[in-house]
Amino acid sequence: MTAMVEISAVHKFFGDLHVLRGVDLEVERGEVCVILGPSGSGKSTLLRCINELERISAGRIVVDGELMGLREVTRGTTTELHRRSDKDIARQRSRIGMVFQRFNLFPHMTTLDNVMEAPRKVRGWDKARARTKAEELLTMVGLSDRMEHYPAQLSGGQQQRVAIARALAMEPDLMLFDEPTSALDPELVGEVLAVMKQLADSGMTMLVVTHEVGFAREVADQVVFMDEGLVVERGTAAEVIGNPQQSRTRDFFAKVL
Amino acid sequence: MGRPMTTPVPELINARPVPRPSTWVWAAVVLLLVAMFIHGLLTNPNYRWDIVGQYLFDPRIVAGVGWTLLLTVGSMVIGIVLAVLMAIMRQGTNPVLRGVSTVYIWFFRGTPIYTQLVFWGLLSVLYPRLSLGIPFGPEFVSFETTVVFNAAIAALLGLGLNEGAYLAEIVRGGLNSVDRGQTEAATALGMKRSTTLWRIVIPQAMRVIVPPTGNETISMLKTTSLVLAVPFTLELTFVTNALGNQKFLPVPLLIVAAIYYLVITSILMVGQHYVEAYYGRGFDDAGASRGATKGMSRRQQAILAAGTVRTNPNLDVTP
């Protein structure tokens, strides 16, 4: 079976800014991959490129065997690249869950409605089915007593757990976490990481951009260190964090640990 | 919430407030002025309150109120529909529709409403027959302009098209006020652009759109008096002016009109309050009374909830 995520030679420009400079990365099915690196190293951009929130400038991203955002069309002997339609890209995105640094819950909807919205509007589930799924997920993230609350009435940690449930409601094959604990008060980080660990144990394929080195050590199957738009080093947590080979990696961990 | 049940409740502070005698001084001054004003209103014979009473429920005037309400509501409905369309077109991906909306807003905001109303009234003179067909080719439908564009329709369209241009900018401002993270979250869940717009962005934008739209509605109530430019002669201001001039008693009939405008404005303000409360749900305690309220201001809760503090989600953020 192929890997869940195959990223090859991906470049991304924002105007003149060369943010990703040839990134290669593979994430196997059921694997938890944690991306570490200094601010501005392009790790969040890489994550956003995987579900087409940003369009890559060069290279290929393949998720579950499907080229993201593009189609290869064979005309005789040549192969052309065609952009996928908005509808097709939306379908691809619906199979990838994403959790944002600032939660981005829908503030005008209750917790329950936040989780039910996408299954109903995108998957076309009926209300009863979406509700059952939402209740199950909110119970899993420990918020069964907060279903009728609005996001503004929840703590940051609770909001982020709702956001995780919201993404899981689409039954994704892959979950992307973009600094999920960076906007949280320190005492609330643990409850979010606990839910993520639980998810990892259930066999979900996860790509996590974070600054939580402890989480990487404990949960990650693969740790990737990025700097200046490149993957500098990758391997197990013990290899990359415990025994870094590159000087840039050593410098970074010397500062954060 | 956080306090254990066993903690003894201390004696609550029950101190005398700082005396503020100025409140009472001002109350006396204002009361005196109001009394003087009312006395003047009631005893001045020039106001002719008997005439005001006599005409307040005159059928011609009540019908005028009806027409004024119809023009206000009708033109606002046309305006809101146009405004939402134009605002969406202006933000959309289609460059042709973007251009159409820009030109529409430019033209209808850029020319006086009075002039526009005169033109709508003159439409049947400028174009006696209107027809639908291929330019320089066959016609499919053709009709006398006066049959369709009578004075009421001309007035309604004139007001509605003008209002749409102003409201379009209000709607655009509302759409832009919603944090980009909301669209991103919806997009990442696989929602289509239109679903994201109608389910996620517009409901939140309404919070910003409703107050100025209420203001525009109240303004429109008074703007309807300009339709005499069409000329349309059945609405409140025209009817009361005509009656006042006819009887050589303009003042009491102006008072009649003013009373109706004030009453309708008051009703509109109450309506606006309820619409605002509806679209504010999830943003303040009133709209979401269930569950725990924390010691944060409503504004702070809304900012936290919507995540509007971060403007550029492309930036990596490091704690």
Side-chain angles (χ1 to χ4, degrees):
Chain A
M1 208 148 57
T2 54
M4 180 62 84
V5 184
E6 295 167 80
I7 298 171
S8 45
V10 163
H11 289 254
K12 173 68 186 170
F13 290 89
F14 286 117
D16 290 335
L17 203 62
H18 201 168
V19 185
L20 298 178
R21 305 193 299 163
V23 174
D24 295 289
L25 185 64
E26 264 182 34
V27 183
E28 300 298 328
R29 280 160 209 280
E31 190 181 55
V32 177
C33 173
V34 173
I35 306 177
L36 300 168
S39 172
S41 57
K43 51 198 194 306
S44 279
T45 304
L46 179 67
L47 216 59
R48 295 165 57 81
C49 285
I50 292 174
N51 71 351
E52 284 276 307
L53 283 182
E54 305 288 351
R55 212 179 243 185
I56 55 175
S57 312
R60 299 283 186 275
I61 296 178
V62 176
V63 176
D64 201 12
E66 234 183 57
L67 195 55
M68 291 301 292
L70 301 166
R71 280 182 307 133
E72 278 173 340
V73 179
T74 313
R75 289 254 168 93
T77 52
T78 56
T79 304
E80 289 179 350
L81 274 186
H82 291 200
R83 293 238 181 254
R84 284 181 191 269
S85 67
D86 288 353
K87 195 181 163 191
D88 207 16
I89 292 177
R91 178 189 58 81
Q92 292 189 316
R93 284 189 184 119
S94 73
R95 301 174 53 213
I96 303 173
M98 183 151 188
V99 174
F100 297 87
Q101 182 180 4
R102 296 218 50 103
F103 331 136
N104 295 349
L105 290 181
F106 307 133
H108 57 303
M109 295 182 186
T110 62
T111 299
L112 198 59
D113 288 334
N114 261 281
V115 182
M116 287 167 63
E117 183 68 11
R120 293 201 65 197
K121 296 295 162 188
V122 179
R123 294 263 188 266
W125 290 9
D126 63 42
K127 201 171 178 179
R129 183 177 175 195
R131 194 185 169 98
T132 309
K133 181 77 186 176
E135 284 173 352
E136 177 194 314
L137 286 167
L138 286 169
T139 306
M140 188 199 100
V141 298
L143 291 171
S144 51
D145 57 341
R146 293 286 185 274
M147 299 207 204
E148 300 297 335
H149 286 54
Y150 283 91
Q153 298 168 315
L154 303 178
S155 73
Q158 290 172 332
Q159 287 191 49
Q160 193 61 298
R161 285 186 281 153
V162 175
I164 293 171
R166 179 176 69 174
L168 290 174
M170 293 294 285
E171 302 181 331
D173 302 321
L174 167 70
M175 284 286 286
L176 308 175
F177 292 84
D178 187 5
E179 305 204 22
T181 57
S182 296
L184 295 175
D185 291 339
E187 80 272 20
L188 302 177
V189 169
E191 65 189 55
V192 172
L193 292 181
V195 168
M196 289 169 63
K197 187 170 184 304
Q198 187 188 343
L199 192 60
D201 291 341
S202 76
M204 175 64 75
T205 313
M206 292 163 61
L207 243 159
V208 185
V209 168
T210 187
H211 293 279
E212 298 292 331
V213 178
F215 177 81
R217 272 209 180 106
E218 196 183 344
V219 182
D221 301 302
Q222 180 183 197
V223 171
V224 175
F225 178 75
M226 279 183 72
D227 193 17
E228 294 179 346
L230 283 167
V231 171
V232 176
E233 203 162 339
R234 50 186 282 210
T236 63
E239 289 163 0
V240 178
I241 303 169
N243 184 24
Q245 301 301 306
Q246 303 290 326
S247 63
R248 276 193 280 178
T249 320
R250 277 198 295 271
D251 290 348
F252 177 77
F253 287 118
K255 278 181 213 151
V256 299
L257 290 180
Chain B
M1 273 266 300
R3 196 181 60 224
M5 300 303 270
T6 50
T7 308
V9 177
E11 191 185 338
L12 300 177
I13 292 171
N14 184 17
R16 282 175 190 282
V18 176
R20 301 202 188 278
S22 64
T23 308
W24 296 103
V25 173
W26 277 109
V29 170
V30 170
L31 213 61
L32 185 69
L33 288 171
V34 169
M36 283 163 71
F37 180 69
I38 289 175
H39 176 257
L41 268 184
L42 294 180
T43 55
N44 188 334
N46 293 331
Y47 286 122
R48 295 298 303 270
W49 290 101
D50 55 325
I51 303 290
V52 171
Q54 191 185 324
Y55 277 97
L56 195 58
F57 297 107
D58 185 289
R60 287 163 293 182
I61 288 175
V62 174
V65 172
W67 277 108
T68 293
L69 278 174
L70 189 74
L71 284 176
T72 307
V73 173
S75 58
M76 286 308 288
V77 168
I78 294 173
I80 288 168
V81 170
L82 272 173
V84 171
L85 278 177
M86 291 298 152
I88 292 171
M89 277 159 63
R90 207 166 177 178
Q91 292 208 321
T93 46
N94 187 324
V96 178
L97 295 181
R98 239 183 359 243
V100 168
S101 129
T102 308
V103 169
Y104 165 79
I105 293 169
W106 167 77
F107 183 80
F108 283 94
R109 273 201 315 178
T111 53
I113 173 73
Y114 195 87
T115 313
Q116 287 172 29
L117 287 167
V118 170
F119 266 93
W120 283 105
L122 287 175
L123 197 70
S124 54
V125 179
L126 295 168
Y127 303 95
R129 291 187 68 77
L130 289 179
S131 64
L132 205 64
I134 299 165
F136 309 107
E139 286 181 1
F140 302 133
V141 198
S142 160
F143 51 83
E144 298 282 333
T145 308
T146 43
V147 176
V148 178
F149 285 91
N150 58 33
I153 297 290
L156 213 53
L157 275 178
L159 292 172
L161 279 163
N162 182 263
E163 188 57 35
Y166 284 95
L167 284 174
E169 289 297 275
I170 291 173
V171 174
R172 190 167 67 99
L175 296 180
N176 286 340
S177 77
V178 178
D179 179 48
R180 261 192 59 189
Q182 293 290 305
T183 308
E184 285 194 346
T187 307
L189 285 164
M191 286 191 205
K192 285 185 298 185
R193 196 184 277 272
S194 58
T195 312
T196 305
L197 194 65
W198 290 105
R199 297 286 306 173
I200 308 300
V201 177
I202 288 180
Q204 295 182 58
M206 288 303 276
R207 234 166 33 91
V208 176
I209 293 170
V210 167
T213 304
N215 200 33
E216 287 288 311
T217 310
I218 288 166
S219 168
M220 176 58 82
L221 179 68
K222 273 70 64 75
T223 306
T224 53
S225 63
L226 288 181
V227 296
L228 75 104
V230 170
F232 180 83
T233 55
L234 297 172
E235 56 75 41
L236 183 59
T237 294
F238 193 92
V239 170
T240 49
N241 276 346
L243 282 171
N245 293 338
Q246 191 187 322
K247 308 274 176 202
F248 302 105
L249 289 166
V251 171
L253 279 143
L254 282 174
I255 292 173
V256 169
I259 288 171
Y260 275 113
Y261 282 125
L262 265 177
V263 167
I264 298 169
T265 301
S266 311
I267 294 168
L268 288 175
M269 284 169 73
V270 173
Q272 183 181 344
H273 170 80
Y274 283 105
V275 177
E276 280 180 29
Y278 175 78
Y279 283 108
R281 74 194 190 284
F283 287 94
D284 55 37
D285 309 336
S289 50
R290 288 162 294 191
T293 310
K294 300 192 298 174
M296 278 188 292
S297 72
R298 290 173 178 189
R299 188 178 142 69
Q300 186 59 34
Q301 289 185 13
I303 290 169
L304 276 178
T308 45
V309 280
R310 194 173 57 137
T311 50
N312 188 351
N314 297 326
L315 295 173
D316 275 4
V317 178
T318 317

